Amino acid sequence: MAYQRESKMDQISSELAQKFIAALKEETLPWSKGYDVNYHPPFNPATGTVYKGASNVILLLNNIEKGYTDPRYLTFNNAKDLGGHVRRGEKGVTCIRIQPKTINITDQEGKVILDENGEPKQRELLIPCPYTVFNVAQIDGLEHVLKPLNLAAEKHQWDPHERAEELIKNSQAKITHSEFRDIVEAPCYSPYLDQIFMPERYQFKSTERYYGTLLHELCHWTGHPSRLNRFDEKAHNLGFGRPEYAKEELRAEIGSSLMCLTLGIKHDLDDNSKAYVKSWIKVLENDPREILKAAAQADKIATYLRQYDIVKEKPKEPLLKPYQGKVHPQDIENVKQQAVERIDLNVKQRIFDFSPVKNQEKSIPTQTSLER
């Protein structure tokens, strides 16, 4: 099972890395050609889960490649529990869920190491678990449950540039603008000074390019020890062209792209970012799994910056809380009523086990289809 999971992870990493490498060789990013002013983060309407980390990037690319305009995705069981069904022949997209697992720490001989209280020392592992989801466009029978989304109506109550300006202001990042080349040769963030240096706004080719660049530097700014803590104390000595330097630049570029999509600002690689393309390609060719790490970190960066956005994302109300397993006879009507209250769904489509319960004990409802 572990071998199969590793093999699947390698396949996901390789496919995603190849998409990035192909786009980078054209000096662009995979989603640039599919830019949508009405972008909405992919989410699961059954559970209310907004897909995070690498899954967010994977589903974004899947929408662009397949031409889907709906950001909603469901697992096979989600669709079934909502009374729908995935159409025959449709292929899902594989995402990644991180499952924490606590293990005992052992020495070189395999013996468990104990702490001062005689208890086993433990550490937490983060296990990547692949799973498959389908866009709602691939699912029939959901018309009575899912209403069409009007993304255009939800977006841009604020001007994108004004919204970006407010986000930057709310972050309270220290930003210095200067037109003098002896002070600012190129946009940059200094971890040592915890300060962003930018040329003057008029020196950029467009307003989009200005905000795209500043958001890129703001993504670096999140790495400070007082924020997301991605840099060690020697981070300011990282040299151009080194692998760690290239990895951080890739995280910031993907993160700023996600932020531009969120704000409604068109974003392309600028001349400064294009200087890193060869090093990014080299990193991905040497280790395809690095794209999953970069995508996960980029989404974490974007999530951190969204706290400063004047437009707050509303929590997704889950549509589905299915009852599975045995239900005590006296609770049947109550369970049905809760199902009706939770969702406008024909109760006849739900399957309840009315067989006698052993020892007349109530079983605890499970939610296996809500794992993600």
Side-chain angles (χ1 to χ4, degrees), residues 5-20:
R5 181 168 58 233
E6 290 296 310
S7 178
K8 191 65 176 178
M9 289 293 295
D10 287 337
Q11 180 184 345
I12 298 170
S13 304
S14 179
E15 290 177 356
L16 189 58
Q18 288 305 315
K19 292 175 184 178
F20 269 83

Side-chain angles (χ1 to χ4, degrees), residues 24 37 81 94 126 128 145 174 240 249 323 325 349 352 364:
L24 289 172
V37 71
D81 288 334
T94 304
L126 298 178
V145 180
K174 187 176 180 181
F240 176 83
E249 285 296 333
Y323 291 83
Q349 293 179 341
F352 299 99
I364 300 175

Side-chain angles (χ1 to χ4, degrees), residues 13-56:
S13 304
S14 179
E15 290 177 356
L16 189 58
Q18 288 305 315
K19 292 175 184 178
F20 269 83
I21 291 172
L24 289 172
K25 287 182 177 179
E26 296 180 3
E27 296 189 332
T28 185
L29 289 171
W31 47 76
S32 296
K33 295 180 180 179
Y35 169 75
D36 183 2
V37 71
N38 295 320
Y39 163 78
H40 190 291
F43 69 99
N44 185 319
T47 64
T49 301
V50 177
Y51 292 101
K52 297 293 185 180
S55 295
N56 179 25

Side-chain angles (χ1 to χ4, degrees), residues 194-205:
D194 191 23
Q195 186 173 355
I196 295 172
F197 294 92
M198 288 282 292
E200 294 289 355
R201 189 181 304 233
Y202 75 85
Q203 293 179 279
F204 289 84
K205 295 179 180 179

Side-chain angles (χ1 to χ4, degrees), residues 83-137:
H85 63 276
V86 177
R87 287 194 298 273
R88 184 181 296 275
E90 293 285 356
K91 294 183 179 180
V93 56
T94 304
C95 293
I96 300 166
R97 175 173 56 89
I98 302 300
Q99 180 69 43
K101 180 180 180 181
T102 302
I103 64 170
N104 293 332
I105 300 176
T106 59
D107 57 22
Q108 294 181 350
E109 297 179 356
K111 296 181 180 180
V112 176
I113 300 175
L114 304 179
D115 60 20
E116 59 274 11
N117 298 320
E119 298 293 332
K121 287 188 175 182
Q122 296 181 325
R123 65 188 181 97
E124 187 178 79
L125 295 179
L126 298 178
I127 310 297
C129 302
Y131 64 98
T132 302
V133 294
F134 300 84
N135 189 273
V136 296

Side-chain angles (χ1 to χ4, degrees), residues 230-301:
R230 290 194 309 279
F231 308 137
D232 60 29
E233 59 185 12
K234 298 180 180 180
H236 58 282
N237 290 325
L238 286 177
F240 176 83
R242 292 185 181 181
E244 290 304 317
Y245 189 98
K247 292 176 183 178
E248 170 61 19
E249 285 296 333
L250 184 58
R251 296 183 198 119
E253 190 60 36
I254 298 175
S256 60
S257 295
L258 293 176
M259 286 307 302
C260 285
L261 284 169
T262 298
L263 299 172
I265 297 174
K266 187 171 178 58
H267 176 66
D268 293 312
L269 291 180
D270 59 20
D271 293 338
N272 194 44
S273 295
K274 288 178 182 178
Y276 303 113
V277 166
K278 289 184 178 179
S279 60
W280 291 344
I281 292 175
K282 184 177 181 180
V283 166
L284 297 182
E285 287 179 338
N286 290 340
D287 182 10
R289 286 200 178 195
E290 185 58 40
I291 190 59
L292 296 180
K293 299 175 186 176
Q297 283 287 339
D299 185 69
K300 188 175 182 179
I301 290 169

Side-chain angles (χ1 to χ4, degrees), residues 2 52 222 335 371:
K52 297 293 185 180
T222 66
V335 168
E371 291 178 356

